[in-house]
Amino acid sequence: MTENDQQAQPPATITAAINRLDEIIGTLPKRMDQCATFTRRNLHLVAVSTVSDMAKAAGVAPSVYMRFCQVFGFGGYSDMQALFREQYTSFRPDYEERLATLRSDQDHSSGQLLADFAEAGQKSLISLGNSVANDGLIKVAEGLSQARIVHLIGARRAFAVVSNMAYLLENLDVPTHLHTHVGHLSNHHLVSPEDAMLAVTFAPFSQTTINDARIAAERGATVFGLTDSEKCPLFEFATETLVVREHEVAGFRSLNASLTLTTALSVLTAEKRKAT
Amino acid sequence: MTENDQQAQPPATITAAINRLDEIIGTLPKRMDQCATFTRRNLHLVAVSTVSDMAKAAGVAPSVYMRFCQVFGFGGYSDMQALFREQYTSFRPDYEERLATLRSDQDHSSGQLLADFAEAGQKSLISLGNSVANDGLIKVAEGLSQARIVHLIGARRAFAVVSNMAYLLENLDVPTHLHTHVGHLSNHHLVSPEDAMLAVTFAPFSQTTINDARIAAERGATVFGLTDSEKCPLFEFATETLVVREHEVAGFRSLNASLTLTTALSVLTAEKRKAT
DNA sequence: CCAAAAATGGAACAAAAATTCCATATGGGA
DNA sequence: TCCCATATGGAATTTTTGTTCCATTTTTGG
């Protein structure tokens, strides 16, 4: 009634909550401010934590955190948590409706598609863990780490894989050359016997990639391969070829396993390189 | 003792849990199978739901869902939930520690590193289920499908994402231009008001990407964004900006969620385009 | 430096959730 | 068809969590 009542209505959205937090931080008593600051920095924890968890993490008593929720405008912790949990569930069709979807299995229009791709990605990552790639992975990392320059080549679907690896290796201070064929320059002369190449190609295999890899091998470089099939021509001349199995949705293969593998490979390579 | 005891030890990782789910689906009694199937498709809900929520959503009694958790190998729902909540909290406390581990530890040179990255990928894909608002995805797909040309731009880490999307869209017969700055040509004149652009940039944001996107917006094109932070400058002028949360291992963020999202987005865009 | 007001932390209490139990239903072999 | 093993759903129980209360401490203004 006076004028400075603690905000009566609670924030209706996460954005509003963040704004309000930024407003009140600094204006609160010590312990309450700890609550506000901690919460501001760990918004993602609210949805999955209990009051005691939050209070303990913020370094205050549960009752203080409780009161903080009220000053914040909520009825209590449960109300505040509800807001943060909402985002995980609200935009989705109702539970019952989802169940129907789950049965009919025909709906491809909305989030089902995204969920399907996510599922395919998950399966790819499981296969990756189960596959025997580990031995080979070490060998390839070893080989790449000893190279003067690491040459990366991959076309079409494989290009995202090699370009990501080029980015990682550059950040890890490993001399890298990403072959792109810009201006139809093939850069074969760049490859020397002290170098190593990683060629990535998935079925149906890119003739250009195979050719370039073969030429690199002929020039004396160590060639490694990454593919999704035992029939890959790289097996004919590559020192070591890794095979990843990607799952697919309606003909669209994911890249999750390949990217995860090459990320690990990049880090391993950089580590081995520093170790020598 | 006989031979077919229900698995005694619970899955220790998300990957193991998904794997085990895929194994047992189909082998369980009707209601239990509903639990398994629903959970498999809604992994992201476990962390923020109660048993009753999950049971109701799966269309079974809470006690059945409870028993499902036990057959699954967990002591109860709480245990299972703990595994899924871990991902929200685990990376908080000792990020430093993990980095140190990465440097010192030798035995991760085996498959541990790969397993860690795979695990991070799984978590990213689960988060994808709740971090991206479904209607945002639809809006972007809608916008891209109506464009004369789809312009894609992304630098550094984001480049793999846009180059993959360019590959997909091309195969789906959607006119696409991937901006690459080869020869320092910026191609601004290519962008017309009938076009749409998808700009991808992750923190710390690429100034070039932001600039090009802003210029495209000024030229009248519809600009959409994909990023990993609410602070992304794209929010200032983009029509719609999607946010994905990627998990990381020792500072290396995965790209799984982003790639999965853009794959779904590509397919959706192509579908909508054909529908008109 | 003192008194009043505000803030704090712990313990008590209430609400909600997880978990178990048991009576009933269901399905598969004799 | 009947019986037995197994599955199921709802209600009872236990545990955990949210919330409030109050004595003690700290801060603020005179």
Side-chain angles (χ1 to χ4, degrees), chain B:
Chain B
M1 179 58 79
T2 54
E3 35 54 280
N4 197 5
D5 281 327
Q6 59 203 34
Q7 187 109 345
Q9 58 260 24
T13 65
I14 301 274
T15 304
I18 296 172
N19 199 15
R20 184 141 171 66
L21 266 178
D22 286 336
E23 275 172 27
I24 61 176
I25 284 176
T27 74
L28 298 161
K30 192 171 144 218
R31 296 270 120 127
M32 302 271 264
D33 210 76
Q34 280 180 40
C35 296
T37 308
F38 179 82
T39 305
R40 176 64 179 91
R41 302 218 176 164
N42 297 279
L43 292 167
H44 63 282
L45 290 180
V46 177
V48 293
S49 307
T50 65
V51 236
S52 329
D53 289 343
M54 291 300 285
K56 200 166 103 189
V60 304
S63 50
V64 173
Y65 199 91
M66 203 62 223
R67 200 152 339 103
F68 159 69
C69 294
Q70 289 163 353
V71 168
F72 202 141
F74 294 101
Y77 183 73
S78 303
D79 286 0
M80 175 166 134
Q81 192 177 50
L83 175 64
F84 283 87
R85 282 189 172 174
E86 216 178 289
Q87 66 179 301
Y88 292 90
T89 48
S90 64
F91 71 99
R92 172 192 50 162
D94 36 28
Y95 163 76
E96 317 277 321
E97 192 182 315
R98 290 209 85 174
L99 206 126
T101 305
L102 183 65
R103 299 251 178 265
S104 67
D105 248 3
Q106 292 293 25
D107 59 342
H108 70 67
S109 48
S110 61
Q112 192 52 48
L113 187 67
L114 183 59
D116 283 351
F117 277 112
E119 186 71 12
Q122 298 283 16
K123 290 171 180 170
S124 295
L125 290 177
I126 291 174
S127 299
L128 182 61
N130 49 40
S131 65
V132 172
N134 195 33
D135 43 350
L137 182 62
I138 305 280
K139 276 185 203 154
V140 176
E142 194 69 49
L144 294 184
S145 70
Q146 284 164 7
R148 190 190 57 137
I149 294 178
V150 174
H151 296 269
L152 298 174
I153 187 162
R156 302 173 59 76
R157 221 164 65 84
F159 183 66
V161 178
V162 285
S163 65
N164 179 242
M165 192 165 171
Y167 164 73
L168 289 172
L169 287 177
E170 186 183 296
N171 276 20
L172 289 161
D173 299 323
V174 178
T176 308
H177 181 236
L178 176 63
H179 290 241
T180 56
H181 288 264
V182 169
H184 284 276
L185 305 173
S186 42
N187 287 327
H188 294 147
H189 61 281
L190 264 181
V191 182
S192 85
E194 294 88 49
D195 295 353
M197 171 177 276
L198 179 68
V200 183
T201 182
F202 304 113
F205 312 107
S206 152
Q207 200 51 58
T208 318
T209 302
I210 302 290
N211 280 346
D212 285 3
R214 199 187 298 269
I215 289 168
E218 281 162 5
R219 288 181 59 89
T222 313
V223 173
F224 299 105
L226 174 62
T227 185
D228 61 351
S229 158
E230 277 80 7
K231 289 176 192 146
C232 180
L234 286 172
F235 275 101
E236 293 165 19
F237 56 88
T239 304
E240 184 82 32
T241 302
L242 305 175
V243 180
V244 289
R245 196 161 86 83
E246 297 278 7
H247 284 250
E248 61 176 52
V249 175
F252 295 92
R253 275 172 292 174
S254 96
L255 279 179
N256 293 279
S258 308
L259 273 160
T260 303
L261 181 69
T262 49
T263 303
L265 181 58
S266 302
V267 175
L268 269 178
T269 301
E271 276 181 0
K272 285 186 187 294
R273 202 157 189 278
K274 277 180 194 146
T276 54

Side-chain angles (χ1 to χ4, degrees), chain A residues 40-57:
Chain A
R40 176 68 178 87
R41 290 219 261 252
N42 297 279
L43 292 168
H44 62 284
L45 289 182
V46 178
V48 294
S49 306
T50 66
V51 238
S52 329
D53 289 344
M54 291 300 286
K56 202 165 101 187

